[in-house]
Amino acid sequence: MVLVPNPADVPLQGIDLVVPANSWWGVFSIQDISTGEIPLESYQLEGVKLSLVLGDSGWQPGEVLEMDIHYTLDLPPQNDRPGYGPSPFGYTESQTNLVDWYPMVPPYQEGVGWVIHEPWIFGEYLVYPAADFEVSLTLTRSDLIVAASAPTTSMGDTLQYSLQSARNFVFSISPYYSIWKTEKGDVTLYGYHFPVNQVSSQAAFEATDQALVLYQELYGPYDQPSLTMVQADFNHGMEYEGLYFLSKAFFNTYNETEKSYLIAIAVHETAHQWWYGQVANDQALEPWLDEALCTFSELAFYENLYPQSVDWWWNTRVNYYQPTGRIDRSIYGHTE
């Protein structure tokens, strides 16, 4: 069930949801939708937008819309989406990733409506309002290990999760994970990795630990109960609330020093817990408001903890690309 207070000061005749899973052909299928005491006249799914038309007098200011959406997912092989950049969504032989897997409520802006963008060949296009999540996950195999955006509050075949004021909720599931774990005050830090990468995973986990401490000093408290690093079974990194994926290529090419992409990108993804996690932005139209700040956070990490490697960072992460001009384009203004 999805509970949404009317975000406007006038009656609304409908709501538009975002369904990222419908970017993949044949993956998302609706069985039924109901809207509680507010009549539902019709709905239409086109691309990533699911539009619900409400009947009678509509959705009144101050009224809470109760949506029940019953659907199935036929998960695709990971990155099986021609013409688009890599995504964690889907499965490989080693892991299954449920990211942006449910119909999402986008932000609502007066005079604009529901803020929904189209997927692009690369870059994040979703805009996440903060929401409270109560999630149940039932497992059909006893050997599966689950990494999630929050710690489970129950054990057994059905796992319960609760996460407040979060941008999203994701899972990564595998029978092969080994786990690093430590407590940092009120925060539990996890690292899920494949056993073959024991040395590099420990280095990435420790860098995440260091970054979590530093960024709390620089930006303010981390406001979720846990933070989880997951070794990706793909060559791509991606951030979510309380969890991030780190490319397997970085683990495989780790040189056992801080002068590596494994460390730089681990602390970059950690910074996203502040820059889009706590301070949200429109990732499609203003991508620099999270990505640039996370790249700056890499520099802050090296300046504070590894000053001897600051020159390496500048040469590797900035000068190598020979950047010019203003960083003010949307993701749709980039083609390579």
Side-chain angles (χ1 to χ4, degrees):
M1 176 180 289
V2 184
L3 304 178
V4 190
N6 184 326
D9 55 8
V10 297
L12 297 176
Q13 295 304 131
I15 182 173
D16 292 338
L17 305 177
V18 190
V19 186
N22 207 48
S23 294
W24 286 262
W25 185 85
V27 166
F28 182 84
S29 177
I30 296 174
Q31 276 71 59
D32 182 60
I33 301 178
S34 62
T35 50
E37 296 182 358
I38 303 174
L40 174 65
E41 284 196 353
S42 64
Y43 65 84
Q44 180 178 10
L45 178 61
E46 183 174 355
V48 297
K49 185 165 75 172
L50 173 60
S51 298
L52 278 62
V53 178
L54 303 174
D56 291 349
S57 56
W59 182 14
Q60 298 299 312
E63 189 173 17
V64 175
L65 178 65
E66 299 182 4
M67 290 183 290
D68 269 320
I69 306 175
H70 296 267
Y71 61 94
T72 57
L73 292 175
D74 185 5
L75 289 178
Q78 207 168 76
N79 294 335
D80 185 22
R81 187 170 58 161
Y84 291 89
S87 167
F89 182 68
Y91 66 89
T92 70
E93 291 183 354
S94 298
Q95 69 184 185
T96 295
N97 299 320
L98 287 167
V99 303
D100 297 326
W101 49 277
Y102 47 84
M104 298 162 45
V105 180
Y108 181 88
Q109 291 184 358
E110 294 289 349
V112 175
W114 303 99
V115 180
I116 299 177
H117 303 302
E118 291 298 316
W120 188 233
I121 54 176
F122 58 81
E124 289 82 64
Y125 69 95
L126 297 169
V127 188
Y128 302 98
D132 297 337
F133 292 85
E134 300 292 334
V135 184
S136 296
L137 176 67
T138 300
L139 303 175
T140 58
R141 286 173 46 182
S142 61
D143 63 333
L144 295 177
I145 300 168
V146 180
S149 289
T152 182
T153 58
S154 67
M155 302 301 292
D157 293 338
T158 298
L159 305 177
Q160 305 287 339
Y161 299 89
S162 179
L163 190 62
Q164 308 302 307
S165 191
R167 304 294 167 187
N168 40 52
F169 197 101
V170 304
F171 293 105
S172 182
I173 305 169
S174 173
Y176 306 118
Y177 286 143
S178 293
I179 306 173
W180 300 105
K181 179 181 177 182
T182 189
E183 304 291 336
K184 306 300 292 188
D186 294 334
V187 180
T188 304
L189 184 63
Y190 299 95
Y192 289 75
H193 65 97
F194 300 115
V196 69
N197 296 112
Q198 188 81 359
V199 172
S200 53
S201 66
Q202 183 174 8
F205 180 74
E206 291 175 352
T208 303
D209 186 349
Q210 292 175 313
L212 179 65
V213 173
L214 175 64
Y215 296 157
Q216 290 189 92
E217 296 174 357
L218 296 177
Y219 306 139
Y222 178 68
D223 61 357
Q224 297 298 359
S226 66
L227 176 60
T228 296
M229 175 200 79
V230 176
Q231 180 179 358
D233 190 30
F234 50 89
N235 293 325
H236 180 51
M238 190 62 200
E239 70 279 358
Y240 299 94
E241 185 83 40
L243 181 151
Y244 76 84
F245 292 92
L246 191 57
S247 170
K248 67 178 181 182
F250 300 150
F251 289 85
N252 295 334
T253 59
Y254 177 55
N255 60 11
E256 300 193 26
T257 78
E258 74 278 1
K259 297 179 182 180
S260 70
Y261 269 93
L262 179 76
I263 304 304
I265 303 305
V267 303
H268 176 107
E269 304 297 359
T270 300
H272 274 298
Q273 300 304 314
W274 283 265
W275 307 115
Y276 116 93
Q278 293 191 32
V279 182
N281 67 301
D282 187 320
Q283 296 187 105
L285 301 186
E286 299 170 330
W288 67 92
L289 287 178
D290 64 315
E291 293 299 342
L293 289 167
C294 290
T295 303
F296 169 79
S297 297
E298 297 175 34
L299 175 59
F301 175 87
Y302 281 94
E303 286 180 334
N304 280 274
L305 299 176
Y306 299 99
Q308 71 277 12
S309 299
V310 167
D311 287 346
W312 170 87
W313 183 88
W314 274 104
N315 290 331
T316 304
R317 295 289 287 142
V318 179
N319 298 336
Y320 172 83
Y321 299 98
Q322 300 181 337
T324 59
R326 294 178 59 85
I327 305 175
D328 60 357
R329 286 179 289 176
S330 74
I331 62 171
Y332 309 106
H334 295 267
T335 57
E336 62 179 8

